Amino acid sequence: MTDSDISIILETSDRLTADASLGFHRYLYEKIDWDEDLLCIKGPKGTGKTTLILQHIKETFGVASGTAVYFSLDNVWFADHRPIEAIDYFYKNGYTHLFIDEVHHCPEWSRLIKTAIDSYPGMKIVYSGSSILKMDKGQADLSRRQTVYNLKGMSFREFLEYDGQGKFPVVDYLELKGTHRKLASGICGNLKIIPLFKRYLKSGYYPFYKQSPNHFPDRLTEVVNNVISVDLPAVEGVTPPTVRKARKMLMVLAKSCPQQPNMSELYRQLETERNMGLRLLEALERAELFTGVDVGSLKLKHLTRPKKIFLGDTNLMNALVPQPDIGALRETFFVNQLRAAGHVLSAPEKGDFVVDEASLFEIGGERKGFGQIKDVADSFVVNDDTEVGIGNKIPLWLFGFLY
């Protein structure tokens, strides 16, 4: 490997690092221990992993430092060169920090990372992949040697900052339940929060909405197609007909989410057998295109519980469904934000959700009351189209401040 061979990688690294904006950092940025020898950053495509990495390089090492370099394995350069050749070159030329993006484009990515760690002592590696599907597939050999971070899409709180509406601190879940009226009043002081919240539900979860706001639904649809057409075959080894079935599964479920699907009927529509159907559903859920909420008590751990299926986030709902149901949007937002903040949800017989096996929540519009859960202790009504709640009635948008 010569200097001229590697020049395109170095030039790309320098250009992208110099162009990285430092004005806004995702919530995960300050949580990462960048001093670890091996870091994995994973999450849905389009959530800002590349930007996060480039920001760290720019702030910590500067541009063209000679010690840190960024490269993505989807670069056409790797059509004629093996990734290990680049790693070997950088090690021998004094580089100490490698930042490898889109690692899932290497068929044997986990072996590549393991070889790099074993063969080049002292080298610190951060790698990322846009697909949870393939990242999860190959971690067996690395699980005890790396720290893994999962980047979610933007919370409503982050969206407000990124959109220039104001910077607000993260709200603790227990504090939210106890002092939500005070918290909401403080946030709403100079903001018309409801129109902003409605905009977030349509196009605020993925940072790339700013690049082309008018074409955001089309761009998000392209991201989804990439996950199904590129990542799914790479992970599961499926054929083009199976890819078409996965795409059909997504659209069939999207039109009626949230639901507890009749799996036998779904497999019949897809013209597939049960094992392949479950495999596809699990893959789409791991890609965060879907999320499943267990139905019934989580205390019955020995039982296999059915799941209520939701789309991964409200932006997906608006992109894939022409006129999404408002009730489905409310519930999807609630599930998405609570899950991203690390909470456990289940769907009970009474009410909509139990959070952390303790508090019961009923989700609805501005006039939603306690009719269904009036006799249940530690229960709350979550109201949409409400700026400030009262008592055990909490505005829905405030749950977007948990991370």
Side-chain angles (χ1 to χ4, degrees):
M1 180 72 64
T2 65
D3 291 347
S4 59
D5 287 331
I6 205 73
S7 61
I8 188 172
I9 295 296
L10 287 170
E11 290 170 4
T12 301
S13 176
D14 294 346
R15 182 173 61 252
L16 293 177
T17 302
D19 194 51
S21 172
L22 304 179
F24 169 78
H25 291 85
R26 291 299 318 280
Y27 74 97
L28 193 63
Y29 188 85
E30 298 298 334
K31 296 183 178 183
I32 296 175
D33 182 358
W34 296 100
D35 291 328
E36 294 278 355
D37 290 337
L38 181 60
L39 292 178
C40 165
I41 302 173
K42 60 179 184 175
K45 184 182 288 294
T47 52
K49 296 180 298 298
T50 299
T51 299
L52 183 148
I53 288 172
L54 292 171
Q55 287 175 330
H56 171 68
I57 297 173
K58 188 173 185 177
E59 292 187 327
T60 306
F61 305 96
V63 180
S65 65
T67 57
V69 63
Y70 163 92
F71 56 92
S72 176
L73 295 189
D74 68 347
N75 191 310
V76 294
W77 188 87
F78 289 102
D80 295 323
H81 302 85
R82 294 183 301 138
I84 197 66
E85 293 180 275
I87 294 172
D88 184 75
Y89 173 90
F90 290 124
Y91 181 81
K92 290 177 178 177
N93 283 271
Y95 286 80
T96 56
H97 293 74
L98 299 186
F99 297 85
I100 308 174
D101 204 1
E102 301 285 350
V103 72
H104 56 282
H105 283 269
C106 175
E108 296 185 337
W109 66 267
S110 57
R111 182 177 298 177
L112 169 70
I113 299 299
K114 185 176 184 298
T115 298
I117 289 295
D118 290 342
S119 302
Y120 302 99
M123 181 76 78
K124 292 183 181 293
I125 296 177
V126 176
Y127 72 95
S128 74
S130 62
S131 170
I132 289 180
L133 297 176
K134 197 165 188 181
M135 300 298 291
D136 285 348
K137 187 74 172 181
Q139 285 192 34
D141 293 336
L142 301 170
S143 59
R144 290 177 292 180
R145 307 177 65 180
Q146 67 181 350
T147 301
V148 180
Y149 295 91
N150 195 340
L151 182 66
K152 304 294 185 180
M154 289 196 299
S155 66
F156 181 45
R157 180 194 68 83
E158 287 185 287
F159 165 76
L160 292 176
E161 179 182 350
Y162 188 56
D163 205 57
Q165 305 296 332
K167 189 171 183 177
F168 303 93
V170 171
V171 172
D172 178 75
Y173 168 70
L174 295 178
E175 183 184 4
L176 184 154
K177 291 198 299 178
T179 62
H180 63 85
R181 185 170 178 82
K182 179 181 178 181
L183 290 167
S185 297
I187 295 168
C188 290
N190 297 310
L191 290 179
K192 293 184 177 179
I193 202 74
I194 301 304
L196 289 167
F197 181 56
K198 289 181 178 179
R199 185 151 67 87
Y200 168 83
L201 295 179
K202 286 187 176 181
S203 60
Y205 189 67
Y206 298 88
F208 64 79
Y209 82 88
K210 269 194 175 183
Q211 298 172 9
S212 52
N214 294 331
H215 301 286
F216 175 78
D218 295 331
R219 288 204 54 194
L220 184 54
T221 301
E222 289 175 8
V223 168
V224 172
N225 283 332
N226 185 270
V227 170
I228 294 175
S229 301
V230 177
D231 295 348
L232 184 61
V235 169
E236 303 291 348
V238 298
T239 60
T242 304
V243 169
R244 289 193 289 271
K245 291 179 181 179
R247 188 174 288 111
K248 184 176 181 180
M249 172 181 280
L250 174 64
M251 297 311 300
V252 168
L253 292 177
K255 292 175 182 177
S256 54
C257 278
Q259 64 168 312
Q260 188 176 326
N262 182 326
M263 301 308 295
S264 297
E265 174 60 22
L266 179 62
Y267 303 151
R268 187 193 66 77
Q269 291 185 48
L270 298 177
E271 299 180 342
T272 192
E273 43 87 26
R274 179 179 180 275
N275 288 340
M276 177 56 71
L278 287 173
R279 185 178 170 190
L280 292 178
L281 185 60
E282 180 190 7
L284 294 175
E285 185 173 353
R286 290 167 59 201
E288 299 190 36
L289 298 178
F290 289 121
T291 186
V293 174
D294 290 317
V295 176
S297 174
L298 295 179
K299 295 178 181 179
L300 302 177
K301 299 181 185 297
H302 61 288
L303 297 179
T304 300
R305 295 178 299 276
K307 286 190 175 184
K308 191 174 182 181
I309 302 297
F310 295 80
L311 276 173
D313 60 81
T314 60
N315 289 185
L316 282 173
M317 289 192 71
N318 279 288
L320 299 178
V321 182
Q323 293 182 322
D325 177 74
I326 183 61
L329 280 169
R330 293 165 182 154
E331 292 189 11
T332 299
F333 169 79
F334 186 84
V335 171
N336 172 269
Q337 298 288 283
L338 268 293
R339 281 270 177 87
H343 296 279
V344 178
L345 287 81
S346 62
E349 292 183 7
K350 276 188 176 183
D352 291 319
F353 302 103
V354 171
V355 177
D356 298 334
E357 301 187 51
S359 301
L360 178 65
F361 292 89
E362 179 77 12
I363 319 295
E366 185 178 9
R367 298 183 180 181
K368 185 71 175 182
F370 284 86
Q372 297 183 42
I373 58 174
K374 60 183 179 180
D375 299 323
V376 181
D378 195 17
S379 61
F380 301 84
V381 167
V382 179
N383 294 119
D384 194 9
D385 292 320
T386 301
E387 285 192 351
V388 180
I390 187 170
N392 279 24
K393 289 190 173 184
I394 306 175
L396 177 62
W397 62 265
L398 192 55
F399 288 88
F401 280 66
L402 294 175
Y403 72 97

